[in-house]
Amino acid sequence: MRLKETAMPLFVFYVVLAAGALSQEVRATIPATHEIPMTAKKYEFNPNLITVRKGEHVKLVITATDRDHGFKLEAFKINQHLKKGEPTTVEFDAKNAGEFPFQCSVICGMGHHRMKGALVVEE
Ligand code: CUA
């Protein structure tokens, strides 16, 4: 009986310790989400320069305001159609630092080819 009495508090102590370590680990592995609202119209994205930090989970919420456009971020294999008036979410993890160009991918008029911007992932 004596063994059981002393083992119980010790067991509880270890459980609390393990739970603490686990929750700390979970917090470290869930990346912070960086949500950025954007608009797309002839012939610009606003903002057209997006800066995030390496390791962040990026959530772009893009609304095409005047007609359909597209959002193509080649480096992340993203090519999303943007329907006029409907906020569209584009999500990805910013794993590597660098500058990555994006552009409109739906023919939207004479200025389509200059409708572009860049994503900067800072170290
Ligand atoms: Cu906007 Cu092409």
Side-chain angles (χ1 to χ4, degrees), residues 54-55 76 93-98 100 121-123:
K54 185 179 162 183
F76 291 78
D93 291 311
K95 284 181 186 150
N96 303 307
F100 310 99
V121 180
E122 289 180 336
E123 194 69 55

Side-chain angles (χ1 to χ4, degrees), residues 69-70 104-108 112 115:
H69 291 277
C104 181
S105 55
V106 169
I107 304 290
C108 55
H112 164 69
M115 186 168 171

Side-chain angles (χ1 to χ4, degrees), residues 19-73:
L22 195 71
S23 70
Q24 222 164 22
E25 198 170 308
V26 166
R27 244 178 283 136
T29 53
I30 295 174
T33 298
H34 190 164
E35 190 169 324
I36 301 166
M38 286 172 76
T39 56
K41 65 165 195 199
K42 286 185 175 189
Y43 295 104
E44 59 182 20
F45 289 100
N46 190 18
N48 61 10
L49 184 66
I50 308 164
T51 305
V52 301
R53 291 194 68 87
K54 185 179 162 183
E56 282 182 328
H57 179 71
V58 183
K59 209 168 167 177
L60 306 177
V61 183
I62 318 170
T63 307
T65 56
D66 57 351
R67 55 152 291 142
D68 286 14
H69 291 277
F71 181 83
K72 187 176 183 180
L73 183 59

